[in-house]
Amino acid sequence: MGYAPSELALVPFVSVENMMRIVHATGIERFLAELARYIEEDFRRWELFDKTPRVASHSREGVIELMPTSDGEAYGFKYVNGHPKNTREGRQTVTAFGVMAEVDTGYPVLITEMTILTALRTAAMSALAARHLAPDGARTMALIGNGAQSEFQALAFKALVGVDRLRLYDIDRAASRRCARNLAGRGLDITLCGGPQEAVEGADIITTVTADKQYATILTDNMVGPGIHINAVGGDCPGKTELHRDILMRSSIFVEYPPQTRVEGEIQQLAADHPVTELWRVITGGTPGRSARDEITLFDSVGFAVEDFSALRYMRALLSGLPYFDKLDLLADPDDPRDLFGMLMRAQPQAA
Amino acid sequence: MGYAPSELALVPFVSVENMMRIVHATGIERFLAELARYIEEDFRRWELFDKTPRVASHSREGVIELMPTSDGEAYGFKYVNGHPKNTREGRQTVTAFGVMAEVDTGYPVLITEMTILTALRTAAMSALAARHLAPDGARTMALIGNGAQSEFQALAFKALVGVDRLRLYDIDRAASRRCARNLAGRGLDITLCGGPQEAVEGADIITTVTADKQYATILTDNMVGPGIHINAVGGDCPGKTELHRDILMRSSIFVEYPPQTRVEGEIQQLAADHPVTELWRVITGGTPGRSARDEITLFDSVGFAVEDFSALRYMRALLSGLPYFDKLDLLADPDDPRDLFGMLMRAQPQAA
């Protein structure tokens, strides 16, 4: 009798190739701006989400994490790894995929690659935070660390904040050159710099997005002038930080979800009760963001499940108008739900 | 320039249809027996696993869970939902899929449907436990609850324990009839019974596998004679039990992972310090299983992540010799791992 899966059994799947098609069909800057709007909407209803720190499995070489959350109607989770040594073997440091399901039925309704999508949502999140925290009229950004996340940051800050001057620095000068080449022709005035000190000259915003898994000091205290906004992206797991502690002590610190950031973010260097502001409180208007011209604001970004949820929600909206997905026969769907065994037996190949 | 994913970017995917092909190519009883062997191997090295209770997201209608574990070399997790009302809309109560990844790289190496696979592993686990706990020479099993899991239980007990007489009971007699029909011609002597009391007459083993999410009393104390083995499968989440508390008080209780079973299993009815034996200690031989002819043994099964890990491991072994999988373009794999953005840009469709 064989087996023909019904529509209920099929789950839309976005491959890497289709994700790239979707980004190009949308336009990358528009994609970043719309994604930021989805994140902003979810931060406005922050209290509604079922929140938990990610479930991490650490090993000598890296970490594998599951990041679930739910708004009561939809449930989403992301699988993501972080393995800094992967690049030596031609693999990505970070790869990810995500799943969205209906809470009422538990049925998955979307499976998607999230390596590219995470790069986009991280950049959209950074730029969204900067829109609330950076000084008015910020146009110049120092971008320190010119690896896989750097171009996404640059374009998100262009699309959402109005940044049009970039000052690049990476310990690997070839990385800076590639970043500049990838961003050519997009209306950005780009300067390659010989060190972090040179990169921060005249910058309104400093974005740090380096990859080494260690306590590093990309920025020292003397490099950070009054009024600047720091977007600290690279310090995102235990034992991995980028900023000198003295900078943190002078800054107003904004975070996504304190129970996670205190373990993973720059503030792992500080006392457990050091005051921080949850970004959702700024976005809803309940708490001020930047309150003085010479204030140093710091967004201690680690990436939280709600942002991935927003990204999955945005993908579902895009797929309602774009044909760039496959359908996976993932869910066993017998005619009679109590007869799973019968479905299996009816699928048995007949003897010739 | 376009995009052609490399082998590193492709993840083997087992659809529902391919899972059924694999089960038939292997033979279902052999599949159950081999799967039990994989579970037994992993229970023998139990202490090596990174164990955590499942991460559950409860809602009014059901629950969505992630069940991760790792043996230090491989990492596996299962997504599974439980929504008892789903059957009203023609959906499964439980659907599942699973992922296995390499710990050293964090790269997924297998994605598979697990609705069918979970039905098989649950049955294999039950029969494995019974092999260590049921009375010698057990041939007659009462099977109470004749829904989607029932036939799998029957065949696993046939393949692993030698059960060849089944006594079926379900509140829905049509379910019992379908179960009997599905199992016809497999060498099982099957009797349909009018109630639980009739079903347990002469049984060496009682398997309870009912589906209602409530505190139920499928078995009362007077139905359970000395020397019997009870395989309690259906009581597997908070608020869902099948056995009267008095039965538990007379039984030697064996469990998978106490921190999870105390919340989800039959023993949620008992004090938090009620003595139970971890099954892995019996399987390794460190602790006796059944120690007297008239002892009542109870396997309080809830399903634990290590069993899903064993099932994923078994699937990987089977796939090395069978062509029944697809390859998913799930992992972004740029030529230069630091140049994710460049890969995205090179995939841009050229203007005509």
Side-chain angles (χ1 to χ4, degrees), chain A residues 61 145 185 196 281 332:
Chain A
E61 301 298 340
R281 295 184 189 276

Side-chain angles (χ1 to χ4, degrees), chain A residues 24-280:
Chain A
H24 290 303
T26 311
I28 186 165
E29 290 187 39
R30 186 177 144 212
F31 190 108
L32 286 160
E34 290 185 351
L35 177 49
R37 187 164 58 76
Y38 273 76
I39 296 173
E40 184 153 24
E41 283 172 8
D42 287 338
F43 271 58
R44 284 185 189 281
R45 55 195 193 113
W46 184 263
E47 288 167 290
L48 209 130
F49 281 87
D50 186 8
K51 290 176 288 290
T52 170
R54 51 184 128 209
V55 183
S57 176
H58 293 275
S59 63
R60 207 183 52 235
E61 301 298 340
V63 63
I64 296 176
E65 299 170 336
L66 299 173
M67 301 169 68
T69 192
S70 169
D71 68 355
E73 285 187 19
Y75 168 94
F77 81 87
K78 182 167 81 169
Y79 170 101
V80 58
N81 75 295
H83 286 71
K85 289 180 186 165
N86 268 4
T87 51
R88 294 188 199 159
E89 301 148 25
R91 289 184 166 88
Q92 287 281 300
T93 298
V94 174
T95 68
F97 68 91
V99 175
M100 184 159 260
E102 288 180 349
V103 166
D104 274 0
T105 64
Y107 268 43
V109 292
L110 173 66
I111 299 182
T112 176
E113 89 81 37
M114 283 189 86
T115 309
I116 296 170
L117 190 56
T118 296
L120 289 158
R121 79 91 164 115
T122 300
M125 181 71 238
S126 284
L128 173 62
R131 215 161 55 183
H132 291 274
L133 300 175
D136 283 344
R139 293 181 57 189
T140 303
M141 180 161 84
L143 186 46
I144 298 175
N146 303 149
Q149 171 63 202
S150 59
E151 299 96 337
F152 297 97
Q153 287 282 334
L155 290 183
F157 276 80
K158 173 169 181 278
L160 277 107
V161 182
V163 163
D164 59 3
R165 288 189 290 250
L166 284 183
R167 301 180 64 78
L168 305 185
Y169 172 69
D170 195 292
I171 47 168
D172 174 9
R173 194 160 176 92
S176 300
R177 280 196 297 264
R178 186 188 50 229
C179 177
R181 199 165 57 238
N182 279 338
L183 292 171
R186 294 186 173 271
L188 289 161
D189 177 0
I190 298 177
T191 307
L192 268 61
C193 301
Q197 176 72 62
E198 187 187 339
V200 303
E201 276 169 26
D204 308 300
I205 297 170
I206 303 174
T207 289
T208 56
V209 55
T210 60
D212 267 358
K213 186 173 177 175
Q214 58 178 322
Y215 293 108
T217 306
I218 311 302
L219 291 184
T220 52
D221 194 34
N222 64 311
M223 295 182 199
V224 178
I228 217 158
H229 173 64
I230 305 173
N231 171 42
V233 180
D236 64 354
C237 67
K240 183 165 182 288
T241 60
E242 295 180 316
L243 306 183
H244 193 282
R245 191 174 179 280
D246 290 348
I247 301 173
L248 308 183
M249 298 305 288
R250 288 164 60 207
S251 303
S252 301
I253 302 173
F254 299 83
V255 304
E256 291 142 314
Y257 181 60
Q260 189 175 302
T261 312
R262 291 201 188 272
V263 176
E264 302 177 356
E266 295 298 330
I267 59 171
Q268 66 187 274
Q269 304 180 64
L270 302 183
D273 61 351
H274 189 93
V276 299
T277 302
E278 291 175 90
L279 193 64
W280 71 271

